[in-house]
Amino acid sequence: MMDDNNQQQFLANLRAALGHPAAVRRRQKQVCERPDDADRQALVKAISRRSPEQTQDLLDRLMAEGHLLNLQVISCPNCTAAGQAIAALLSDDISAGGSKRTIACWQHPLVTELDLVSHLGIRNISIYCVEQTMHPLRSAERETIRRRVAASFAGITSADYCLADTASLVLRGRPGQDLCVALLPAIHIAVIRRKQLLADMQELHALLQTNSPDCRDELPNRMTMISGPSKTGDIEATMVYGVHGPRNVYLLVIDT
């Protein structure tokens, strides 16, 4: 158990690692200090005016960071190409010996534009779309959703943003966009548009804190960040994928 001396040394180490004087205890107001409103507004404005070249730089950075995490990032010119790419990825999994032939997906405008029914129907892959409900789910309804999603071999979702510097998907909690679709199936495929790429957590925080068109609906009560597939190195320091969640995660970034 950590005694007082060890606790103080631990906190001092944290302060030093963060670039603050190790012996000076910081006040709560200093720890929780937020950037100036004008700075935040300027950052949000810069994000909205990002040039195609800057966005391409973000995508290149995302691909490089994603490679380190075993997150496969695929750039697609439009929704049709993205739908075809998803069909090819899922067909490869079935060809590799997968026995399940059902996928689960969100009821989301971008997922709808992929026209998965056409692309997957010819490959005899059925789709379970988690419907959006305006009332709180009863236990039986939630259990039905979980059971059907767990019986699917892939989950298709969108995301609110993706952070390039950590290759992290950002998913805010909303009705009809159950997180289990991203976590229970063996394969998770997320689809976003290029304009949803952010550089880092600072940009995400600025958008969430600013009354911009991207966050009219206030802060969420739940937000999940996903950085690549589920992985653990607990056993003999050997990296194993898919132990506690998806073994493969793909991110399709649509140009338009």
Side-chain angles (χ1 to χ4, degrees), residues 5 32 58 86 144 152 181 187 214 236 241 243 250 254:
N5 290 333
C32 300
L58 282 184
I86 291 173
T144 298
S152 304
V181 177
I187 301 172
D214 286 320
E236 297 182 350
Y241 293 97
V243 178
Y250 302 93
I254 299 174

Side-chain angles (χ1 to χ4, degrees), residues 201-212:
M201 189 73 79
Q202 185 180 10
E203 290 191 355
L204 173 65
H205 185 262
L207 283 174
L208 293 176
Q209 289 291 326
T210 303
N211 187 23
S212 70

Side-chain angles (χ1 to χ4, degrees), residues 72-93:
Q72 301 186 46
V73 182
I74 302 170
S75 178
C76 300
N78 51 50
C79 286
T80 300
Q84 293 169 344
I86 291 173
L89 290 171
L90 299 182
S91 295
D92 288 346
D93 188 81

Side-chain angles (χ1 to χ4, degrees), residues 5-6 25 29 39 51 71 80 127 147 152 168 214 252:
N5 290 333
N6 288 337
R25 182 177 179 179
K29 185 177 180 181
D39 292 341
S51 69
L71 167 68
T80 300
I127 300 172
R147 179 172 47 79
S152 304
S168 300
D214 286 320
L252 276 61

Side-chain angles (χ1 to χ4, degrees), residues 44 46-52 54-56 58-59 62 108 110 113 158-163 191-199 203 207 213-214 252-256:
V44 171
I47 294 170
S48 66
R49 295 183 174 181
R50 197 165 266 151
S51 69
Q54 290 173 319
T55 306
Q56 182 62 47
L58 282 184
L59 180 59
L62 170 62
H108 185 280
L110 186 53
E113 285 190 55
S158 184
D160 291 278
Y161 305 104
C162 184
L163 309 185
V191 185
I192 64 171
R193 297 190 187 275
R194 277 199 187 209
K195 64 182 181 181
Q196 295 172 271
L197 294 178
L198 299 179
E203 290 191 355
L207 283 174
D214 286 320
L252 276 61
V253 182
I254 299 174
D255 292 349
T256 57

Side-chain angles (χ1 to χ4, degrees), residues 23-41:
V24 179
R25 182 177 179 179
R26 303 177 72 210
R27 296 180 178 275
Q28 183 178 5
K29 185 177 180 181
Q30 293 173 299
V31 175
C32 300
E33 187 177 8
R34 294 181 176 180
D36 181 81
D37 278 348
D39 292 341
R40 196 164 58 236
Q41 292 285 356

Side-chain angles (χ1 to χ4, degrees), residues 29-159:
K29 185 177 180 181
Q30 293 173 299
V31 175
C32 300
E33 187 177 8
R34 294 181 176 180
D36 181 81
D37 278 348
D39 292 341
R40 196 164 58 236
Q41 292 285 356
L43 181 55
V44 171
K45 193 173 182 179
I47 294 170
S48 66
R49 295 183 174 181
R50 197 165 266 151
S51 69
E53 291 77 16
Q54 290 173 319
T55 306
Q56 182 62 47
D57 288 342
L58 282 184
L59 180 59
D60 293 341
R61 186 177 178 186
L62 170 62
M63 287 182 166
E65 296 298 328
H67 178 72
L68 300 175
L69 299 173
N70 209 26
L71 167 68
Q72 301 186 46
V73 182
I74 302 170
S75 178
C76 300
N78 51 50
C79 286
T80 300
Q84 293 169 344
I86 291 173
L89 290 171
L90 299 182
S91 295
D92 288 346
D93 188 81
I94 291 175
S95 300
S99 57
K100 298 179 180 178
R101 301 193 71 90
T102 300
I103 68 160
C105 70
W106 277 2
Q107 189 178 60
H108 185 280
L110 186 53
V111 176
T112 302
E113 285 190 55
L114 301 175
D115 193 17
L116 294 176
V117 174
S118 298
H119 294 299
L120 300 182
I122 59 176
R123 290 172 170 81
N124 198 27
I125 298 174
S126 59
I127 300 172
Y128 166 57
C129 184
V130 180
E131 295 183 3
Q132 183 173 354
T133 59
M134 301 310 296
H135 63 273
L137 291 175
R138 295 187 290 271
S139 298
E141 293 175 310
R142 186 163 294 283
E143 180 56 31
T144 298
I145 291 174
R146 287 177 180 165
R147 179 172 47 79
R148 296 195 65 177
V149 172
S152 304
F153 75 100
I156 314 292
T157 74
S158 184

